[in-house]
Amino acid sequence: MKNLIIPPGKDEDSKDKKKKEELRENQIRLWISYLIFSLIGLWLFQQFIIRPMLIRELEIPYSEFKSKIASGQIIEVTLEQDRIIGTMKNPDTTDTASETIPFTTVAVPEGDPTLIEALDAAGVKYSNSEPPSPVGTFLLAYGLPLALISLIWYIGYRQMGAGGMGVGGILGVGKSKATEVKPENIGITFKDVGGADEAIGELQEIIQFLKTPEQFASLGGRIPKGVLLVGPPGTGKTLLAKATAGEAGVPFFETSGSEFVEMFVGVGAARVRDLFEQARQAAPAIVFIDEIDAIGQSRGGAMRIGGNDEREQTLNQLLSEIDGFKTEQGKPVIIMAATNRPEILDPALLRAGRFDRQITVSAPDLTGRLQILRIHSQDIKLSPDFDLDRAARMTPGFSGADLANAINEAALLAARRSAAAVTMQDFEAAIERVIAGLEKKSRLMNEQERTTVAYHESGHALVAELLPNADPVAKVSIVPRGRGALGYTMQMPTEDRYLLTCEELEDRIAVMLGGRAAELVVRGTISTGASDDIQRASELARRMVMEFGMSDKLGMVRYATQQYQFLSGDSSASASPETLKIIDEEVQRIIREQYQRAQQLLKEHRSALESLTRQLLVTETVDGAAVKQALAETNGRLTEQP
Ligand code: ADP
Ligand code: ZN
């Protein structure tokens, strides 16, 4: 049992208590289901093993028995209290059949006074037997199977460590299916991963820690445990994790979340335990869990049907394994996990000391694609005119896996026409095939969508650059970044801020709405791509009114009752209906004003918007300097004109 108990964290004692209770409930349910299972087994055992064992003879009616005595066919009988068993001549007289067969018949209730006489007359050997002891029968019928079941249970229990379920252990399903790759067999380093420099940079610390854990700790580094790699499929998350193990020279355990989701409650948890047991023995090591959302899905809200218990147990086991690492000084195990949907993960997984490091792995931009194409074409004979740079330009939206796939496909096409080298035409044909596949999976944006996203992000960037109080732009990108974002604009604060003025907040809102404003200014129509922007802008505007007292109409009164609930967006106001109406009006006013302001700015700098968008469509990612330059150039042109 003790393995299942989650060590209390700093701020989660009550949660853990609840979890423990839940676990105990699960245990009880487990035992009850085992009991039912056993009873059914017992019944089957009796029906099909014990009964046929006791009643194996041919049963004949008493009258037939009597007539068989008369005709001299009965050889020997034993008289029991309520039945007679014995042997008689086999009526089947073929050569192969045995001469005698056992039989049984039920004695008549009052006893047959003429029986002994008849037996004597026919010269049948007879004897009397003691009635079988009821205790013996009972033991045979119930005791034996019960003992067997208990034995199975006991062995299973021992095998699974604690709290598991017997059958799982015996059948070996509690064994983890993870594959261990020894350090010398990994053969992958960061050199084999293209276009992931940011992620690689963030992983350096992990490598440092795995290589020299003591030194790392003595320098006061906070000991890392879990790293969550977030990004769309095929962007090289598995590759990165493996390369991390390769760089650090530690064994790599690879498994997938779906391997832990099984029919039987307890099996997944047993597998988790087994996996970490293996990893600890090989420590220092990296455990990689692909598709962690299969086990780590949020527990709240969802309907509780079927496999939920199982997933919860597995998740709890995982959490306790992660928490349990503290004791393993000097022999660290790092858990890396990959997911495409971090938002559905159980918050317990993301808490401090667990998967508290998130590394975003996005689809590669132009430079990234060029690097990846270079890596994957190393062993392929390319014709001299093969232009890798052009190949990278031709493949926007491709993930690393798609690119590897395309190169491979091109090599196959070249081989099919027995060419000496892969040409650009081969690659183009290969791309078409890959694109057809991707479009089916709707993972590729069409050109129009890409342009819209480019305008949208340029809008954010330009408004941010133009407004005096907004943070400067660090990076703009139209490479999708998972979580439904089709592009992103990154702003870098120049300093830490603790107080924000009303003007600064307004500028922030204007930047958030800059994306939608650009779409409207250029296209005259708007898209669904701004829903996240709108949500954040409304939240901020609402806080300005209700918490910060920044509305003249409402004054410095706090209308939000408690701490504003960020996640639920619940601002549970304590105000009269009339005031609530004014609050709504004020929020709307702030949003409207800032939206107008963003539109105005973009109209004034329309040519900068066009030039930045054009540049984004080519290189997909630009830095802050490019934004400044786009503004400077077009401003220059404006002033040159009379
Ligand atoms: P994920 O785990 O993110 O779904 P994988 O790591 O399984 O993606 O990628 C599958 C394959 O695609 C890799 O084995 C590799 O050949 C190729 N690949 C993906 N991303 C990259 C990259 N950034 N650099 C080089 N190859 C990559
Ligand atoms: Zn946006």
Side-chain angles (χ1 to χ4, degrees):
M1 280 291 198
K2 78 172 193 299
N3 280 352
L4 283 172
I5 293 171
I6 291 153
K10 273 161 272 163
D11 54 353
E12 49 198 57
D13 281 344
S14 67
K15 271 217 180 86
D16 278 344
K17 238 176 250 151
K18 223 180 91 198
K19 214 175 276 165
K20 264 184 242 169
E21 265 164 37
E22 266 179 33
L23 263 181
R24 198 158 306 133
E25 250 175 54
N26 278 345
Q27 285 286 306
I28 292 170
R29 237 176 287 163
L30 187 70
W31 283 58
I32 289 176
S33 51
Y34 191 83
L35 201 68
I36 291 171
F37 179 71
S38 313
L39 286 176
I40 292 174
L42 189 63
W43 182 78
L44 288 173
F45 186 78
Q46 290 219 12
Q47 281 296 307
F48 297 101
I49 307 227
I50 299 286
R51 267 181 66 129
M53 224 161 79
L54 292 179
I55 318 166
R56 65 185 186 288
E57 305 92 351
L58 177 69
E59 203 172 333
I60 54 174
Y62 193 75
S63 57
E64 198 183 326
F65 170 64
K66 284 298 282 276
S67 64
K68 277 195 186 330
I69 296 178
S71 60
Q73 293 198 43
I74 303 295
I75 300 164
E76 184 186 1
V77 294
T78 306
L79 307 171
E80 289 185 354
Q81 198 171 22
D82 48 6
R83 64 174 186 167
I84 298 164
I85 56 175
T87 46
M88 63 178 187
K89 285 189 184 144
N90 196 346
D92 178 4
T93 50
T94 47
D95 286 348
T96 48
S98 64
E99 274 174 36
T100 59
I101 52 165
F103 75 92
T104 170
T105 185
V106 180
V108 287
E110 287 83 28
D112 182 356
T114 64
L115 177 62
I116 302 295
E117 240 171 75
L119 287 173
D120 280 335
V124 178
K125 269 208 274 175
Y126 60 90
S127 57
N128 209 348
S129 91
E130 292 223 349
S133 114
V135 178
T137 320
F138 180 82
L139 277 184
L140 186 65
Y142 292 91
L144 183 69
L146 266 180
L148 260 173
I149 287 173
S150 313
L151 186 72
I152 293 177
W153 197 348
Y154 177 72
I155 294 175
Y157 195 81
R158 289 266 309 257
Q159 272 207 357
M160 315 257 304
M165 146 162 168
V167 185
I170 282 213
L171 302 181
V173 292
K175 287 262 167 285
S176 149
K177 287 191 201 144
T179 48
E180 178 185 357
V181 188
K182 295 258 174 345
E184 58 273 19
N185 297 334
I186 290 179
I188 289 180
T189 61
F190 286 150
K191 280 207 295 295
D192 302 296
V193 189
D197 297 342
E198 277 174 46
I200 289 174
E202 292 187 58
L203 286 167
Q204 292 302 336
E205 189 199 23
I206 303 288
I207 294 170
Q208 202 57 44
F209 174 59
L210 282 169
K211 274 185 170 164
T212 52
E214 297 87 2
Q215 200 188 336
F216 189 92
S218 71
L219 289 176
R222 199 163 66 79
I223 305 208
K225 265 187 198 165
V227 179
L228 192 64
L229 298 168
V230 178
T235 44
K237 298 184 291 297
T238 312
L239 195 68
L240 266 171
K242 210 166 177 180
T244 310
E247 293 276 343
V250 300
F252 182 66
F253 290 85
E254 181 179 356
T255 185
S256 165
S258 52
E259 269 168 27
F260 296 109
V261 182
E262 288 285 339
M263 278 287 292
F264 295 109
V265 177
V267 173
R271 282 192 185 155
V272 169
R273 206 173 316 132
D274 187 55
L275 169 64
F276 281 92
E277 197 47 52
Q278 283 182 41
R280 257 189 288 256
Q281 265 155 28
I286 288 182
V287 171
F288 177 70
I289 306 174
D290 206 356
E291 297 171 19
I292 194 165
D293 31 290
I295 34 176
Q297 256 180 48
S298 175
R299 289 170 280 196
M303 270 199 299
R304 299 177 148 261
I305 359 167
N308 239 7
D309 275 1
E310 157 67 354
R311 216 182 44 217
E312 250 169 65
Q313 270 207 13
T314 310
L315 178 59
N316 285 334
Q317 186 63 40
L318 183 65
L319 293 177
S320 76
E321 294 290 350
I322 299 174
D323 292 343
F325 284 160
K326 279 180 210 121
T327 50
E328 310 279 320
Q329 280 273 329
K331 300 205 91 192
V333 176
I334 293 280
I335 317 154
M336 298 180 78
T339 183
N340 189 20
R341 300 177 293 172
E343 69 281 354
I344 66 164
L345 286 185
D346 196 297
L349 269 175
L350 307 177
R351 226 168 270 150
R354 292 173 180 165
F355 288 105
D356 49 0
R357 283 167 210 222
Q358 288 198 27
I359 297 182
T360 310
V361 187
S362 35
D365 61 5
L366 182 63
T367 347
R369 289 200 302 274
L370 183 58
Q371 283 174 18
I372 295 171
L373 284 170
R374 250 192 219 122
I375 290 168
H376 283 281
S377 58
Q378 264 164 8
D379 301 327
I380 285 175
K381 199 156 184 318
L382 300 178
S383 77
D385 72 321
F386 197 100
D387 185 352
L388 278 174
D389 197 64
R390 224 186 101 212
R393 275 176 207 287
M394 281 159 62
T395 46
F398 275 43
S399 71
D402 299 334
L403 290 169
N405 197 355
I407 282 270
N408 198 41
E409 192 82 18
L412 287 179
L413 288 174
R416 199 168 298 159
R417 51 179 191 88
S418 327
V422 180
T423 63
M424 213 59 205
Q425 282 79 16
D426 293 324
F427 189 71
E428 276 164 28
I431 288 182
E432 265 163 40
R433 291 192 180 191
V434 176
I435 287 183
L438 293 184
E439 272 171 356
K440 236 178 252 153
K441 290 185 219 151
S442 70
R443 261 174 48 201
L444 275 197
M445 278 189 270
N446 65 31
E447 208 43 41
Q448 164 131 7
E449 282 170 337
R450 267 187 94 226
T451 317
T452 306
V453 174
Y455 275 122
H456 181 105
E457 296 305 333
S458 298
H460 283 307
L462 288 177
V463 174
E465 200 56 50
L466 285 165
L467 287 177
N469 297 312
D471 292 326
V473 178
K475 192 172 164 189
V476 190
S477 174
I478 56 166
V479 177
R481 255 214 156 163
R483 301 189 208 200
L486 300 172
Y488 58 94
T489 299
M490 223 161 69
Q491 286 169 270
M492 201 62 88
T494 37
E495 56 192 340
D496 279 348
R497 298 297 307 272
Y498 302 101
L499 288 175
L500 290 166
T501 62
C502 179
E503 289 72 29
E504 282 164 329
L505 291 176
E506 281 173 353
D507 281 6
R508 284 194 180 188
I509 294 178
V511 174
M512 289 171 192
L513 299 172
R516 159 76 53 113
E519 288 180 44
L520 186 68
V521 166
V522 177
R523 287 263 153 90
T525 177
I526 49 183
S527 74
T528 53
S531 67
D532 188 51
D533 297 336
I534 292 174
Q535 188 196 334
R536 287 190 304 141
S538 338
E539 247 161 45
L540 188 50
R542 197 162 279 274
R543 289 187 74 185
M544 286 173 69
V545 175
M546 291 171 63
E547 262 182 66
F548 308 144
M550 287 177 176
S551 151
D552 291 337
K553 257 196 201 161
L554 289 158
M556 279 181 292
V557 177
R558 182 190 174 90
Y559 295 99
T561 39
Q562 297 143 10
Q563 199 56 39
Y564 183 82
Q565 302 269 299
F566 238 122
L567 287 176
S568 60
D570 169 26
S571 48
S572 49
S574 59
S576 66
E578 295 80 41
T579 318
L580 279 179
K581 196 163 158 260
I582 304 179
I583 291 177
D584 282 339
E585 282 167 9
E586 282 295 280
V587 171
Q588 278 167 17
R589 176 188 58 81
I590 294 177
I591 297 276
R592 194 174 47 241
E593 281 176 8
Q594 296 314 315
Y595 188 39
Q596 296 289 345
R597 202 157 148 237
Q599 283 181 49
Q600 190 54 40
L601 280 172
L602 291 173
K603 273 185 199 146
E604 282 165 17
H605 297 87
R606 176 70 192 261
S607 46
L609 181 59
E610 295 291 348
S611 110
L612 186 59
T613 302
R614 238 176 291 126
Q615 201 177 335
L616 260 180
L617 283 171
V618 177
T619 56
E620 294 165 35
T621 311
V622 301
D623 57 10
V627 182
K628 284 199 175 68
Q629 207 192 335
L631 278 170
E633 270 174 17
T634 48
N635 271 350
R637 214 178 301 147
L638 272 182
T639 43
E640 270 165 28
Q641 287 159 1

